[in-house]
Amino acid sequence: MTTTTFQPGTDNHASTDALHAVAEFPVAWFEATPAYLVLRPVAAFLREWVAATPAGIVFGLLKH
């Protein structure tokens, strides 16, 4: 989260809520696309598959 302070009397600043909405729009748009709906389960499958390989198991043991 970013906070910005302005000197009193200046009116050349944007609302934090407006900037937040602008920043979240691309993420919300991508999550609504068919590509995201397909890629999410594919990514989950690949993540589980890699974790089940011998190298993934060793890495998982080293991570703890």
Side-chain angles (χ1 to χ4, degrees):
M1 183 170 135
T2 304
T3 56
T4 307
T5 54
F6 299 98
Q7 297 296 328
T10 61
D11 37 14
N12 56 350
H13 56 84
S15 169
T16 327
D17 293 333
L19 293 175
H20 184 67
V22 169
E24 284 197 1
F25 174 77
V27 174
W29 176 81
F30 178 68
E31 289 177 351
T33 61
Y36 179 78
L37 299 175
V38 170
L39 290 177
R40 197 167 111 195
V42 169
F45 169 77
L46 290 175
R47 194 171 28 255
E48 293 295 321
W49 179 76
V50 168
T53 62
I57 294 170
V58 170
F59 181 71
L61 292 173
L62 293 174
K63 200 166 65 169
H64 292 286

